[in-house]
Amino acid sequence: AQSVAQPEDQVNVAEGNPLTVKCTYSVSGNPYLFWYVQYPNRGLQFLLKYITGDNLVKGSYGFEAEFNKSQTSFHLKKPSALVSDSALYFCAVRPGSSNTGKLIFGQGTTLQVKP
Amino acid sequence: NAGVTQTPKFRVLKTGQSMTLLCAQDMNHEYMYWYRQDPGMGLRLIHYSVGEGTTAKGEVPDGYNVSRLKKQNFLLGLESAAPSQTSVYFCASSSLAGATYEQYFGPGTRLTVT
């Protein structure tokens, strides 16, 4: 079965420290990978995506993510966390075989950045 | 350019009542989706549409119906609401152009069924 896993329900980081939010996937074909952020009582906002090319992709608000094909991972990173980064983060994947645009979402990871 | 909008923002229903959630997008996107979000379960796809007049079932379609009579609108219907349908509902859309399938989300509808 095709799936996305975010192994941590919550990640706690001190402001100014680097952060990593983990994501692994299991899909057929070459995946398209996405990260979204959700602030309280808001819809999901797109952060970044990997389609092809350089394994390190940069996105909004200073976030980046590294695609690792051998480990089937797409971890979200930021060199220096801000309190305002505190939110719910979703990893999503479009299976390579899909032509409907459907995405499979992970269960989400709450990022808590403390001052 | 409003992006994706959803109506209403909040609704409380009694068991057995019906309602329709409206999603509208002004980006001329071909694809539209309805998700529900429940704590610890991420987003689950209810129904989706790849074009005007076409709809298809997603992961959790039971108890819901959809229609896409116009390209910009995607309606989600609950014919007989149940407490298990208490959730936050999100609509999203994406473009066929570029084939990257990045989805744009609406602000959500919080539905409570008592």
Side-chain angles (χ1 to χ4, degrees):
Chain A
Q2 303 187 102
S3 63
V4 176
Q6 293 180 240
E8 301 153 318
D9 289 337
Q10 183 158 329
V11 171
N12 297 311
V13 177
E15 188 174 32
N17 283 359
L19 69 88
T20 299
V21 182
K22 296 179 180 178
C23 173
T24 60
Y25 63 91
S26 175
V27 299
S28 58
N30 294 318
Y32 291 5
L33 294 152
F34 303 83
W35 275 101
Y36 286 84
V37 59
Q38 184 182 30
Y39 298 102
N41 301 312
R42 302 288 295 276
L44 276 69
Q45 296 178 29
F46 169 78
L47 273 180
L48 52 78
K49 65 186 175 189
Y50 172 82
I51 306 298
T52 187
D54 193 346
N55 289 342
L56 184 65
V57 294
K58 295 185 184 298
S60 306
Y61 312 122
F63 284 93
E64 58 189 28
E66 185 168 12
F67 171 62
N68 187 318
K69 188 173 183 178
S70 63
Q71 296 186 3
T72 61
S73 66
F74 189 56
H75 300 332
L76 181 71
K77 300 180 180 183
K78 187 174 183 181
S80 179
L82 300 173
V83 172
S84 57
D85 292 330
S86 297
L88 182 58
Y89 290 80
F90 288 99
C91 179
V93 61
R94 169 192 168 261
S97 57
S98 170
N99 62 355
T100 61
K102 289 194 295 180
L103 299 181
I104 302 170
F105 284 85
Q107 74 272 30
T109 297
T110 299
L111 174 65
Q112 187 76 31
V113 181
K114 296 186 178 179
Chain B
N1 189 338
V4 180
T5 58
Q6 293 182 232
T7 309
K9 289 184 169 52
F10 303 94
R11 186 71 185 269
V12 178
L13 289 179
K14 295 186 186 302
T15 297
Q17 288 184 321
S18 63
M19 78 164 294
T20 300
L21 282 66
L22 171 63
C23 175
Q25 53 95 4
D26 61 2
M27 297 174 283
N28 201 35
H29 285 172
E30 294 81 8
Y31 300 157
M32 296 187 75
Y33 314 86
W34 275 107
Y35 294 93
R36 59 178 289 172
Q37 181 180 24
D38 302 290
M41 303 190 74
L43 274 74
R44 294 182 292 171
L45 183 65
I46 304 171
H47 285 280
Y48 65 99
S49 169
V50 299
E52 183 178 323
T54 70
T55 62
K57 294 180 180 180
E59 181 186 358
V60 289
D62 293 344
Y64 305 95
N65 56 76
V66 289
S67 64
R68 190 154 178 217
L69 300 179
K70 295 182 178 180
K71 186 177 184 179
Q72 64 268 34
N73 295 338
F74 195 29
L75 278 63
L76 177 70
L78 286 73
E79 291 186 346
S80 180
S84 60
Q85 294 178 305
T86 293
S87 187
V88 181
Y89 292 86
F90 288 100
C91 176
S93 69
S94 65
S95 174
L96 182 60
T100 59
Y101 302 112
E102 173 184 328
Q103 292 186 11
Y104 294 82
F105 284 79
T109 295
R110 187 173 296 273
L111 175 66
T112 302
V113 183
T114 61

